[in-house]
Amino acid sequence: MKFGTKAIHAGVEPDPTTGAIMTPIYQTSTYVQRSPGDHKGYEYSRTHNPTRTQLQNALAALENGKHGLCFASGMAAIDAVVKMLSPGDEVISTNDLYGGSYRIFTKIFQNYGIKFHFISMADINNIENYVNENTKLLWVETPTNPLLNIIDIKGAAAIARKHNLKLVVDNTFATPYLQLPLDLGADIVMHSLTKYMGGHSDVVMGALIVKDDELHEKLAFIQNASGGTPGPQDCFLLLRGLKTLHLRMQRHCENGRAIAQYLKNHPKVEKVFWPGFEDHHNHAIAKNQMRDFGGMISFVLKGDKMEDAIQTLERFKFFALAESLGGVESLCGHPASMTHASIPREERMKGGLSDSLIRLSVGVEDIEDLIADLEQAIG
């Protein structure tokens, strides 16, 4: 199946009882058994739920994986991955990543004896400088949040195989419509489904997708034992969102390209972060591993003053000032005080995230209205 057909049909079957074409919301906590241990594949909804099963199958199909696992949030999905490690293990991650990921790594798991290295992966060979006998995991975001850096997934996978490491790719910004990390050699794909996959800013959820049976067994045990699973209503909403993923992503990309070009030519804009520009450091890699360049854009105004950025954010009308991204509506944000506030300023600045950076999640509205909004907000 091509991607659009897969988004609508793959992994989902009509309800066997009624023939309902949309997966029902199985709003139940438990299931009747014929005899102790003799059931129809479902015994308790923390472990399995039919609505969640269909969603997990659909996600696995979209990522060209074998197994999908859904969690109550993207953070719960990250939590499950790191719980496979032991005290003394080390993780290598990028120095530009979502603030919540940095927070759970440094404020929670570091307290349990797991060490994290946050490094530039613009040159993938830099990873080798930090690999040692304790390294167990590579954690990659690409494009990164919020500076839209591109990391070579195939190159990272080669390093992971060489040193017997697991490679996790946070595919939230790209979605499987734009890139397929498992096909490029990743072991685990992670999503905040809250964002583009759901697409309507009405559900919070996370996911992990894998090909390997043993890895799935380990993660499924943690999913059930730790209990960070989503409810059936949220799973239903996610299934609905997936069916238009390809249509929405096409429009996000079209609008993103137009706005990136507009900002690049604006006399008051100092720099635009978007991997579609030929002068982007890893544009060639982005072009090779992605179908298109997405709807996430960050920029800095000339003068690089925080007060100018704040005033611009306050003037937007169609770009709503809010956390999150990936919905049909356009959003704007100030990473330094919002999504990345948990990262110490000196760490942010070392990675290039200044106090005046503005991040845009470009929605699917008419592009003329979005550009007019930028024009009046920037001045």
Short mmCIF file of all heavy atoms in Angstrom, two decimals, residues 134-198:
data_model
loop_
_atom_site.label_atom_id
_atom_site.label_comp_id
_atom_site.label_asym_id
_atom_site.label_seq_id
_atom_site.Cartn_x
_atom_site.Cartn_y
_atom_site.Cartn_z
N ASN A 134 30.29 1.23 28.92
CA ASN A 134 29.02 1.38 29.64
C ASN A 134 27.88 1.92 28.77
O ASN A 134 26.74 1.95 29.21
CB ASN A 134 29.21 2.32 30.84
CG ASN A 134 30.19 1.76 31.85
OD1 ASN A 134 30.17 0.57 32.16
ND2 ASN A 134 31.07 2.62 32.36
N THR A 135 28.22 2.38 27.56
CA THR A 135 27.20 2.97 26.69
C THR A 135 26.23 1.88 26.22
O THR A 135 26.64 0.83 25.74
CB THR A 135 27.84 3.64 25.46
OG1 THR A 135 28.88 4.52 25.90
CG2 THR A 135 26.79 4.43 24.69
N LYS A 136 24.95 2.16 26.35
CA LYS A 136 23.93 1.18 25.96
C LYS A 136 22.93 1.74 24.95
O LYS A 136 22.27 0.97 24.25
CB LYS A 136 23.16 0.71 27.20
CG LYS A 136 24.01 -0.02 28.24
CD LYS A 136 24.53 -1.34 27.70
CE LYS A 136 25.20 -2.17 28.79
NZ LYS A 136 26.44 -1.56 29.30
N LEU A 137 22.81 3.08 24.89
CA LEU A 137 21.71 3.66 24.12
C LEU A 137 22.14 4.94 23.41
O LEU A 137 22.85 5.75 23.99
CB LEU A 137 20.56 3.98 25.09
CG LEU A 137 19.15 4.21 24.54
CD1 LEU A 137 18.55 2.92 24.02
CD2 LEU A 137 18.26 4.76 25.66
N LEU A 138 21.71 5.09 22.16
CA LEU A 138 21.80 6.37 21.45
C LEU A 138 20.39 6.94 21.34
O LEU A 138 19.47 6.25 20.87
CB LEU A 138 22.37 6.18 20.05
CG LEU A 138 23.80 5.67 19.89
CD1 LEU A 138 24.18 5.64 18.41
CD2 LEU A 138 24.78 6.53 20.67
N TRP A 139 20.22 8.19 21.76
CA TRP A 139 18.90 8.84 21.70
C TRP A 139 18.99 10.00 20.71
O TRP A 139 19.69 10.97 20.95
CB TRP A 139 18.48 9.35 23.07
CG TRP A 139 17.05 9.82 23.07
CD1 TRP A 139 16.59 11.02 22.66
CD2 TRP A 139 15.91 9.05 23.47
NE1 TRP A 139 15.22 11.08 22.78
CE2 TRP A 139 14.78 9.88 23.26
CE3 TRP A 139 15.73 7.77 23.96
CZ2 TRP A 139 13.48 9.44 23.55
CZ3 TRP A 139 14.45 7.34 24.25
CH2 TRP A 139 13.34 8.17 24.04
N VAL A 140 18.26 9.88 19.61
CA VAL A 140 18.35 10.84 18.52
C VAL A 140 17.00 11.51 18.29
O VAL A 140 15.96 10.84 18.27
CB VAL A 140 18.81 10.13 17.23
CG1 VAL A 140 18.59 11.01 16.01
CG2 VAL A 140 20.27 9.73 17.33
N GLU A 141 17.01 12.82 18.14
CA GLU A 141 15.87 13.58 17.61
C GLU A 141 16.29 14.12 16.26
O GLU A 141 17.38 14.69 16.14
CB GLU A 141 15.54 14.80 18.48
CG GLU A 141 14.59 14.60 19.60
CD GLU A 141 14.26 15.93 20.29
OE1 GLU A 141 14.43 17.00 19.68
OE2 GLU A 141 13.83 15.88 21.45
N THR A 142 15.46 13.95 15.25
CA THR A 142 15.74 14.58 13.96
C THR A 142 14.46 14.73 13.17
O THR A 142 13.77 13.74 12.97
CB THR A 142 16.83 13.82 13.17
OG1 THR A 142 17.11 14.51 11.95
CG2 THR A 142 16.45 12.38 12.86
N PRO A 143 14.10 15.95 12.76
CA PRO A 143 14.72 17.22 13.11
C PRO A 143 14.64 17.47 14.62
O PRO A 143 13.69 17.03 15.27
CB PRO A 143 13.89 18.25 12.33
CG PRO A 143 13.21 17.48 11.24
CD PRO A 143 12.98 16.13 11.80
N THR A 144 15.61 18.21 15.14
CA THR A 144 15.67 18.46 16.57
C THR A 144 14.72 19.58 16.97
O THR A 144 14.29 20.39 16.15
CB THR A 144 17.09 18.81 17.01
OG1 THR A 144 17.50 20.02 16.36
CG2 THR A 144 18.07 17.69 16.69
N ASN A 145 14.43 19.61 18.25
CA ASN A 145 13.51 20.59 18.82
C ASN A 145 14.29 21.51 19.75
O ASN A 145 14.81 21.04 20.77
CB ASN A 145 12.43 19.84 19.61
CG ASN A 145 11.38 20.72 20.21
OD1 ASN A 145 11.37 21.94 20.02
ND2 ASN A 145 10.47 20.11 20.96
N PRO A 146 14.41 22.83 19.47
CA PRO A 146 13.68 23.59 18.45
C PRO A 146 14.53 24.10 17.29
O PRO A 146 14.06 24.89 16.48
CB PRO A 146 13.20 24.78 19.27
CG PRO A 146 14.36 25.08 20.18
CD PRO A 146 14.98 23.73 20.49
N LEU A 147 15.80 23.68 17.20
CA LEU A 147 16.71 24.30 16.23
C LEU A 147 16.70 23.61 14.87
O LEU A 147 17.46 23.98 13.98
CB LEU A 147 18.13 24.37 16.79
CG LEU A 147 18.29 25.28 18.02
CD1 LEU A 147 19.70 25.19 18.57
CD2 LEU A 147 17.95 26.73 17.66
N LEU A 148 15.88 22.58 14.72
CA LEU A 148 15.71 21.89 13.43
C LEU A 148 17.02 21.38 12.85
O LEU A 148 17.24 21.40 11.64
CB LEU A 148 14.99 22.82 12.42
CG LEU A 148 13.49 23.05 12.60
CD1 LEU A 148 12.70 21.77 12.62
CD2 LEU A 148 13.16 23.92 13.79
N ASN A 149 17.91 20.92 13.74
CA ASN A 149 19.11 20.25 13.26
C ASN A 149 18.74 18.89 12.69
O ASN A 149 17.77 18.26 13.12
CB ASN A 149 20.12 20.06 14.40
CG ASN A 149 20.71 21.38 14.88
OD1 ASN A 149 21.11 22.20 14.07
ND2 ASN A 149 20.75 21.58 16.18
N ILE A 150 19.52 18.43 11.74
CA ILE A 150 19.29 17.13 11.10
C ILE A 150 20.41 16.18 11.49
O ILE A 150 21.59 16.52 11.40
CB ILE A 150 19.21 17.26 9.57
CG1 ILE A 150 18.01 18.12 9.17
CG2 ILE A 150 19.13 15.89 8.90
CD1 ILE A 150 16.65 17.55 9.53
N ILE A 151 20.02 14.98 11.92
CA ILE A 151 20.98 13.95 12.31
C ILE A 151 20.85 12.78 11.35
O ILE A 151 19.74 12.35 11.01
CB ILE A 151 20.74 13.51 13.77
CG1 ILE A 151 20.99 14.70 14.71
CG2 ILE A 151 21.64 12.33 14.14
CD1 ILE A 151 20.52 14.47 16.13
N ASP A 152 21.97 12.27 10.92
CA ASP A 152 22.02 11.16 9.96
C ASP A 152 21.63 9.86 10.65
O ASP A 152 22.40 9.26 11.39
CB ASP A 152 23.45 11.07 9.40
CG ASP A 152 23.61 9.98 8.36
OD1 ASP A 152 22.65 9.23 8.11
OD2 ASP A 152 24.72 9.88 7.79
N ILE A 153 20.40 9.40 10.41
CA ILE A 153 19.90 8.19 11.09
C ILE A 153 20.68 6.96 10.64
O ILE A 153 21.06 6.11 11.46
CB ILE A 153 18.39 8.01 10.82
CG1 ILE A 153 17.60 9.20 11.39
CG2 ILE A 153 17.90 6.71 11.43
CD1 ILE A 153 16.13 9.18 11.03
N LYS A 154 20.92 6.85 9.35
CA LYS A 154 21.65 5.69 8.83
C LYS A 154 23.06 5.64 9.42
O LYS A 154 23.57 4.57 9.79
CB LYS A 154 21.69 5.73 7.31
CG LYS A 154 22.14 4.43 6.66
CD LYS A 154 22.06 4.51 5.14
CE LYS A 154 20.63 4.48 4.66
NZ LYS A 154 20.56 4.38 3.17
N GLY A 155 23.69 6.80 9.53
CA GLY A 155 25.03 6.86 10.12
C GLY A 155 25.01 6.51 11.59
O GLY A 155 25.90 5.79 12.09
N ALA A 156 24.00 7.00 12.32
CA ALA A 156 23.87 6.66 13.74
C ALA A 156 23.62 5.17 13.92
O ALA A 156 24.14 4.55 14.86
CB ALA A 156 22.74 7.48 14.36
N ALA A 157 22.84 4.59 13.02
CA ALA A 157 22.55 3.15 13.10
C ALA A 157 23.81 2.32 12.88
O ALA A 157 24.01 1.29 13.54
CB ALA A 157 21.48 2.78 12.07
N ALA A 158 24.67 2.77 11.99
CA ALA A 158 25.93 2.05 11.74
C ALA A 158 26.81 2.06 12.99
O ALA A 158 27.42 1.04 13.35
CB ALA A 158 26.66 2.67 10.56
N ILE A 159 26.86 3.21 13.68
CA ILE A 159 27.64 3.31 14.91
C ILE A 159 27.02 2.43 16.00
O ILE A 159 27.73 1.74 16.75
CB ILE A 159 27.73 4.77 15.37
CG1 ILE A 159 28.57 5.58 14.37
CG2 ILE A 159 28.32 4.88 16.78
CD1 ILE A 159 28.55 7.08 14.60
N ALA A 160 25.69 2.43 16.08
CA ALA A 160 25.00 1.60 17.08
C ALA A 160 25.30 0.12 16.86
O ALA A 160 25.59 -0.62 17.81
CB ALA A 160 23.50 1.87 17.02
N ARG A 161 25.26 -0.33 15.61
CA ARG A 161 25.55 -1.74 15.32
C ARG A 161 27.01 -2.08 15.66
O ARG A 161 27.29 -3.15 16.21
CB ARG A 161 25.27 -2.04 13.84
CG ARG A 161 23.80 -2.18 13.50
CD ARG A 161 23.61 -2.78 12.12
NE ARG A 161 24.26 -2.00 11.08
CZ ARG A 161 23.69 -0.99 10.44
NH1 ARG A 161 22.46 -0.62 10.75
NH2 ARG A 161 24.34 -0.33 9.48
N LYS A 162 27.89 -1.17 15.31
CA LYS A 162 29.32 -1.40 15.55
C LYS A 162 29.62 -1.63 17.04
O LYS A 162 30.45 -2.46 17.40
CB LYS A 162 30.12 -0.20 15.03
CG LYS A 162 31.62 -0.28 15.28
CD LYS A 162 32.30 0.98 14.73
CE LYS A 162 33.79 1.00 15.09
NZ LYS A 162 34.44 2.25 14.59
N HIS A 163 28.90 -0.91 17.90
CA HIS A 163 29.18 -0.96 19.35
C HIS A 163 28.10 -1.70 20.13
O HIS A 163 28.08 -1.62 21.37
CB HIS A 163 29.34 0.46 19.89
CG HIS A 163 30.51 1.20 19.30
ND1 HIS A 163 31.81 0.98 19.70
CD2 HIS A 163 30.56 2.15 18.32
CE1 HIS A 163 32.62 1.76 19.00
NE2 HIS A 163 31.89 2.49 18.16
N ASN A 164 27.21 -2.38 19.42
CA ASN A 164 26.14 -3.15 20.07
C ASN A 164 25.26 -2.28 20.96
O ASN A 164 24.96 -2.63 22.11
CB ASN A 164 26.73 -4.31 20.87
CG ASN A 164 25.70 -5.36 21.25
OD1 ASN A 164 24.70 -5.54 20.53
ND2 ASN A 164 25.90 -6.03 22.37
N LEU A 165 24.84 -1.14 20.43
CA LEU A 165 23.97 -0.21 21.14
C LEU A 165 22.57 -0.25 20.54
O LEU A 165 22.38 -0.65 19.40
CB LEU A 165 24.52 1.21 21.05
CG LEU A 165 26.01 1.42 21.32
CD1 LEU A 165 26.39 2.88 21.07
CD2 LEU A 165 26.36 1.00 22.74
N LYS A 166 21.60 0.21 21.30
CA LYS A 166 20.25 0.40 20.78
C LYS A 166 20.09 1.87 20.34
O LYS A 166 20.47 2.78 21.06
CB LYS A 166 19.19 0.08 21.84
CG LYS A 166 19.16 -1.37 22.28
CD LYS A 166 18.82 -2.31 21.14
CE LYS A 166 18.74 -3.75 21.62
NZ LYS A 166 18.64 -4.70 20.49
N LEU A 167 19.52 2.04 19.14
CA LEU A 167 19.28 3.39 18.62
C LEU A 167 17.79 3.70 18.69
O LEU A 167 16.97 2.99 18.12
CB LEU A 167 19.76 3.48 17.16
CG LEU A 167 19.38 4.77 16.41
CD1 LEU A 167 19.99 6.00 17.08
CD2 LEU A 167 19.79 4.68 14.94
N VAL A 168 17.48 4.77 19.41
CA VAL A 168 16.11 5.26 19.50
C VAL A 168 16.02 6.57 18.72
O VAL A 168 16.85 7.46 18.90
CB VAL A 168 15.69 5.52 20.97
CG1 VAL A 168 14.21 5.90 21.04
CG2 VAL A 168 15.99 4.32 21.84
N VAL A 169 15.00 6.69 17.87
CA VAL A 169 14.78 7.93 17.13
C VAL A 169 13.42 8.51 17.51
O VAL A 169 12.39 7.85 17.35
CB VAL A 169 14.85 7.70 15.60
CG1 VAL A 169 14.51 9.00 14.85
CG2 VAL A 169 16.23 7.21 15.19
N ASP A 170 13.45 9.73 18.04
CA ASP A 170 12.22 10.48 18.29
C ASP A 170 11.77 11.05 16.96
O ASP A 170 12.38 11.97 16.42
CB ASP A 170 12.50 11.59 19.31
CG ASP A 170 11.25 12.39 19.68
OD1 ASP A 170 10.28 12.38 18.90
OD2 ASP A 170 11.27 13.04 20.75
N ASN A 171 10.68 10.51 16.42
CA ASN A 171 10.19 10.86 15.09
C ASN A 171 9.00 11.82 15.14
O ASN A 171 8.24 11.92 14.18
CB ASN A 171 9.81 9.59 14.33
CG ASN A 171 9.90 9.73 12.82
OD1 ASN A 171 10.64 10.56 12.30
ND2 ASN A 171 9.13 8.94 12.10
N THR A 172 8.85 12.51 16.28
CA THR A 172 7.67 13.35 16.49
C THR A 172 7.55 14.46 15.44
O THR A 172 6.47 14.69 14.89
CB THR A 172 7.71 13.98 17.90
OG1 THR A 172 7.70 12.92 18.86
CG2 THR A 172 6.52 14.89 18.13
N PHE A 173 8.65 15.17 15.16
CA PHE A 173 8.59 16.29 14.23
C PHE A 173 8.34 15.84 12.79
O PHE A 173 7.66 16.52 12.02
CB PHE A 173 9.91 17.09 14.26
CG PHE A 173 9.92 18.22 15.26
CD1 PHE A 173 9.14 18.19 16.40
CD2 PHE A 173 10.74 19.33 15.06
CE1 PHE A 173 9.16 19.22 17.31
CE2 PHE A 173 10.77 20.38 15.97
CZ PHE A 173 9.97 20.32 17.10
N ALA A 174 8.88 14.68 12.42
CA ALA A 174 8.82 14.25 11.02
C ALA A 174 7.58 13.42 10.72
O ALA A 174 6.98 13.56 9.65
CB ALA A 174 10.08 13.47 10.66
N THR A 175 7.21 12.52 11.64
CA THR A 175 6.16 11.52 11.44
C THR A 175 6.60 10.51 10.38
O THR A 175 7.51 10.80 9.58
CB THR A 175 4.80 12.11 11.03
OG1 THR A 175 4.78 12.39 9.62
CG2 THR A 175 4.44 13.34 11.81
N PRO A 176 5.97 9.35 10.32
CA PRO A 176 6.33 8.37 9.29
C PRO A 176 6.01 8.84 7.87
O PRO A 176 6.52 8.26 6.91
CB PRO A 176 5.51 7.13 9.67
CG PRO A 176 4.41 7.64 10.53
CD PRO A 176 4.97 8.80 11.27
N TYR A 177 5.22 9.89 7.74
CA TYR A 177 4.97 10.43 6.40
C TYR A 177 6.25 11.01 5.80
O TYR A 177 6.48 10.91 4.59
CB TYR A 177 3.89 11.51 6.46
CG TYR A 177 3.62 12.16 5.11
CD1 TYR A 177 2.82 11.51 4.17
CD2 TYR A 177 4.17 13.39 4.78
CE1 TYR A 177 2.58 12.08 2.92
CE2 TYR A 177 3.93 13.96 3.53
CZ TYR A 177 3.14 13.31 2.62
OH TYR A 177 2.92 13.87 1.38
N LEU A 178 7.10 11.60 6.64
CA LEU A 178 8.32 12.25 6.15
C LEU A 178 9.55 11.36 6.24
O LEU A 178 10.45 11.49 5.40
CB LEU A 178 8.57 13.56 6.90
CG LEU A 178 7.54 14.67 6.71
CD1 LEU A 178 7.96 15.92 7.47
CD2 LEU A 178 7.36 14.99 5.23
N GLN A 179 9.65 10.50 7.25
CA GLN A 179 10.82 9.63 7.34
C GLN A 179 10.48 8.36 8.11
O GLN A 179 9.60 8.35 8.97
CB GLN A 179 12.02 10.35 7.97
CG GLN A 179 11.91 10.64 9.45
CD GLN A 179 13.08 11.46 9.98
OE1 GLN A 179 13.89 12.01 9.26
NE2 GLN A 179 13.16 11.56 11.30
N LEU A 180 11.23 7.29 7.80
CA LEU A 180 10.98 5.97 8.40
C LEU A 180 12.26 5.47 9.06
O LEU A 180 13.06 4.77 8.44
CB LEU A 180 10.50 4.99 7.32
CG LEU A 180 9.12 5.31 6.72
CD1 LEU A 180 8.92 4.54 5.43
CD2 LEU A 180 8.02 5.00 7.73
N PRO A 181 12.49 5.83 10.32
CA PRO A 181 13.74 5.49 10.99
C PRO A 181 14.04 3.99 11.06
O PRO A 181 15.21 3.59 11.01
CB PRO A 181 13.57 6.09 12.39
CG PRO A 181 12.61 7.22 12.19
CD PRO A 181 11.66 6.72 11.15
N LEU A 182 13.02 3.15 11.21
CA LEU A 182 13.28 1.71 11.29
C LEU A 182 13.89 1.20 9.99
O LEU A 182 14.77 0.33 10.00
CB LEU A 182 11.99 0.95 11.60
CG LEU A 182 11.37 1.19 12.98
CD1 LEU A 182 10.07 0.40 13.12
CD2 LEU A 182 12.33 0.80 14.10
N ASP A 183 13.44 1.75 8.87
CA ASP A 183 14.01 1.36 7.58
C ASP A 183 15.45 1.83 7.43
O ASP A 183 16.21 1.27 6.63
CB ASP A 183 13.18 1.94 6.43
CG ASP A 183 11.85 1.23 6.25
OD1 ASP A 183 11.57 0.26 6.99
OD2 ASP A 183 11.05 1.66 5.38
N LEU A 184 15.83 2.87 8.20
CA LEU A 184 17.20 3.40 8.14
C LEU A 184 18.11 2.77 9.19
O LEU A 184 19.27 3.16 9.30
CB LEU A 184 17.15 4.92 8.32
CG LEU A 184 16.41 5.70 7.22
CD1 LEU A 184 16.23 7.16 7.61
CD2 LEU A 184 17.14 5.59 5.89
N GLY A 185 17.57 1.82 9.97
CA GLY A 185 18.41 1.08 10.90
C GLY A 185 18.15 1.31 12.38
O GLY A 185 18.83 0.72 13.22
N ALA A 186 17.18 2.17 12.73
CA ALA A 186 16.86 2.40 14.14
C ALA A 186 16.25 1.15 14.76
O ALA A 186 15.61 0.34 14.07
CB ALA A 186 15.92 3.58 14.29
N ASP A 187 16.41 1.00 16.07
CA ASP A 187 15.81 -0.12 16.80
C ASP A 187 14.43 0.22 17.34
O ASP A 187 13.55 -0.63 17.41
CB ASP A 187 16.72 -0.53 17.96
CG ASP A 187 18.06 -1.03 17.49
OD1 ASP A 187 18.11 -2.14 16.92
OD2 ASP A 187 19.06 -0.31 17.68
N ILE A 188 14.27 1.48 17.76
CA ILE A 188 13.01 1.94 18.36
C ILE A 188 12.66 3.30 17.78
O ILE A 188 13.51 4.17 17.68
CB ILE A 188 13.11 2.07 19.90
CG1 ILE A 188 13.55 0.75 20.54
CG2 ILE A 188 11.79 2.54 20.49
CD1 ILE A 188 13.85 0.87 22.04
N VAL A 189 11.41 3.47 17.38
CA VAL A 189 10.89 4.79 17.01
C VAL A 189 9.97 5.25 18.13
O VAL A 189 9.12 4.49 18.61
CB VAL A 189 10.11 4.75 15.69
CG1 VAL A 189 9.38 6.06 15.45
CG2 VAL A 189 11.05 4.48 14.53
N MET A 190 10.18 6.47 18.60
CA MET A 190 9.35 7.05 19.65
C MET A 190 8.54 8.21 19.09
O MET A 190 9.03 8.96 18.23
CB MET A 190 10.25 7.51 20.81
CG MET A 190 9.51 8.22 21.94
SD MET A 190 9.54 10.01 21.70
CE MET A 190 8.22 10.49 22.82
N HIS A 191 7.30 8.35 19.55
CA HIS A 191 6.45 9.47 19.15
C HIS A 191 5.76 10.09 20.35
O HIS A 191 5.30 9.37 21.25
CB HIS A 191 5.32 9.00 18.21
CG HIS A 191 5.73 8.83 16.80
ND1 HIS A 191 5.87 9.89 15.93
CD2 HIS A 191 6.01 7.71 16.08
CE1 HIS A 191 6.23 9.43 14.74
NE2 HIS A 191 6.32 8.12 14.81
N SER A 192 5.67 11.40 20.35
CA SER A 192 4.61 12.06 21.08
C SER A 192 3.44 12.13 20.11
O SER A 192 3.41 12.99 19.23
CB SER A 192 5.02 13.46 21.54
OG SER A 192 3.90 14.13 22.08
N LEU A 193 2.50 11.21 20.25
CA LEU A 193 1.34 11.15 19.35
C LEU A 193 0.45 12.38 19.51
O LEU A 193 -0.39 12.65 18.64
CB LEU A 193 0.53 9.88 19.62
CG LEU A 193 1.24 8.54 19.39
CD1 LEU A 193 0.34 7.39 19.82
CD2 LEU A 193 1.65 8.38 17.94
N THR A 194 0.64 13.08 20.62
CA THR A 194 -0.10 14.32 20.88
C THR A 194 0.02 15.30 19.72
O THR A 194 -0.91 16.07 19.46
CB THR A 194 0.49 15.00 22.14
OG1 THR A 194 0.56 14.04 23.19
CG2 THR A 194 -0.32 16.21 22.56
N LYS A 195 1.13 15.25 19.01
CA LYS A 195 1.47 16.26 18.03
C LYS A 195 0.87 15.93 16.66
O LYS A 195 -0.35 15.85 16.53
CB LYS A 195 2.99 16.43 17.97
CG LYS A 195 3.68 16.50 19.34
CD LYS A 195 3.15 17.61 20.23
CE LYS A 195 4.02 17.92 21.44
NZ LYS A 195 4.15 16.86 22.44
N TYR A 196 1.68 15.72 15.65
CA TYR A 196 1.17 15.54 14.29
C TYR A 196 0.31 14.30 14.11
O TYR A 196 -0.63 14.30 13.32
CB TYR A 196 2.34 15.48 13.30
CG TYR A 196 2.98 16.80 13.01
CD1 TYR A 196 4.25 17.09 13.50
CD2 TYR A 196 2.32 17.77 12.25
CE1 TYR A 196 4.85 18.31 13.23
CE2 TYR A 196 2.92 18.99 11.98
CZ TYR A 196 4.19 19.25 12.47
OH TYR A 196 4.77 20.47 12.21
N MET A 197 0.63 13.23 14.81
CA MET A 197 -0.08 11.98 14.57
C MET A 197 -1.55 12.11 14.95
O MET A 197 -2.43 11.67 14.22
CB MET A 197 0.59 10.84 15.34
CG MET A 197 2.05 10.61 14.96
SD MET A 197 2.26 9.92 13.32
CE MET A 197 2.26 8.17 13.72
N GLY A 198 -1.82 12.71 16.12
CA GLY A 198 -3.21 13.01 16.47
C GLY A 198 -3.73 14.17 15.64
O GLY A 198 -4.80 14.11 15.05
#
